[in-house]
């Protein structure tokens, strides 16, 4: 009994894989710092002008009937109690009025200026890495090799040519193909009706 050995096949070269990981971290920082910027005014408006009295989405805090503070999120005409997550989050003395909680923003404390610096710095890194990758794609042959298949791979062999070479007559009803798997030693059998 033979055991198949696992073999790792890498689809892309090291620069492409590193670029993908770099993009992932840039997008995470952009999202978290963007949420910090959103916390400065946690509301969205529909249309080309902001009507501050009628936001489409808004996160805020109110004082409830019992005097406790509640976080609320308004989405159009619907209002949801989102205490602890959106509008008002944190515990005890650390609780604060904010759209998104501290664990989801960068920096974690409310600091609009630093959030904007993180956001624009990583936006430039993301754009710069994209430009460098575009040059890499053009000059390394990555586009031609990994993304653009040659015409022969699109078309494949013509069945009539294979049947002529095998000597199959016109009265044949079906054909059985036997081939070897490229990665192992197993035989693959395929039946094709003519």
């Amino acid at each position: 009994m033979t055991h198949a050995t696992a073999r790792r096949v890498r689809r892309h070269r090291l620069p492409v894989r590193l670029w993908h990981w770099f993009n992932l971290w840039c997008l995470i920082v952009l999202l978290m710092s963007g949420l910090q910027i959103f916390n400065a005014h946690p509301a969205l408006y529909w249309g080309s002008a902001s009507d501050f009295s009628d936001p489409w989405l808004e996160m805020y805090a109110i004082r409830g009937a019992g005097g406790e503070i509640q976080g609320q999120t308004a989405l159009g005409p619907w209002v949801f109690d989102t205490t602890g997550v959106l509008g008002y989050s944190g515990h005890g003395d650390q609780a604060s009025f904010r759209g998104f909680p501290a664990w989801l923003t960068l920096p974690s404390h409310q600091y609009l200026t630093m959030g904007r610096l993180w956001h624009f710095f990583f936006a430039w890194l993301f754009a710069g890495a994209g430009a460098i990758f575009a040059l890499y794609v053009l000059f390394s042959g990555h586009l031609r090799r990994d993304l653009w298949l040659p015409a022969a791979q699109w078309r494949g062999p013509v069945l009539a040519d294979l049947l002529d070479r095998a000597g199959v007559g016109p009265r044949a009803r079906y054909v059985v193909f036997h081939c070897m798997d490229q990665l192992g030693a197993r035989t693959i059998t395929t039946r094709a009706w003519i």
Side-chain angles (χ1 to χ4, degrees):
M1 179 176 189
T2 61
H3 295 286
T5 59
R7 191 176 91 167
R8 180 175 289 182
V9 178
R10 298 192 194 282
R11 174 77 172 112
H12 297 292
R13 291 185 176 177
L14 181 63
V16 177
R17 294 194 314 269
L18 290 175
W19 183 72
H20 286 155
W21 282 107
F22 182 79
N23 283 343
L24 173 68
W25 287 108
C26 282
L27 290 174
I28 289 171
V29 171
L30 284 169
L31 174 66
M32 293 177 72
S33 58
L35 294 179
Q36 174 66 260
I37 295 168
F38 183 77
N39 274 348
H41 183 74
L44 296 175
Y45 304 92
W46 193 263
S48 59
S50 297
D51 181 8
F52 292 114
S53 63
D54 188 27
W56 175 73
L57 169 72
E58 185 177 20
M59 299 172 194
Y60 55 90
I62 62 168
R63 192 166 297 278
E68 73 283 356
I69 299 175
Q70 298 175 340
Q72 294 199 334
T73 300
L75 180 61
W78 302 285
V79 178
F80 305 97
D81 181 12
T82 54
T83 305
V85 182
L86 304 174
Y88 185 73
S89 58
H91 301 287
D93 295 340
Q94 302 296 322
S96 61
F97 305 103
R98 52 188 300 143
F100 289 96
W103 60 268
L104 199 54
T105 64
L106 187 68
S108 60
H109 55 284
Q110 289 185 321
Y111 193 178
L112 176 60
T113 305
M114 188 58 69
R116 290 180 64 188
L117 288 174
W118 278 91
H119 195 76
F120 290 120
F121 178 74
F122 275 85
W124 279 110
L125 283 180
F126 186 66
I132 291 170
F133 184 72
L135 293 173
Y136 170 79
V137 164
L138 288 175
F139 294 113
S140 70
H142 171 73
L143 183 67
R144 179 178 29 84
R145 181 183 61 250
D146 294 337
L147 302 176
W148 188 260
L149 297 176
Q153 288 182 348
W154 285 97
R155 192 180 60 162
V158 178
L159 182 60
D161 294 342
L162 290 174
L163 295 176
D164 286 341
R165 286 186 181 197
V168 176
R171 298 178 51 126
R173 305 288 292 169
Y174 67 92
V175 174
V176 177
F177 294 95
H178 297 281
C179 61
M180 297 295 290
D181 182 35
Q182 291 180 354
L183 298 177
R186 62 185 177 150
T187 303
I188 300 172
T189 302
T190 304
R191 291 183 181 204
W193 292 92
I194 312 176

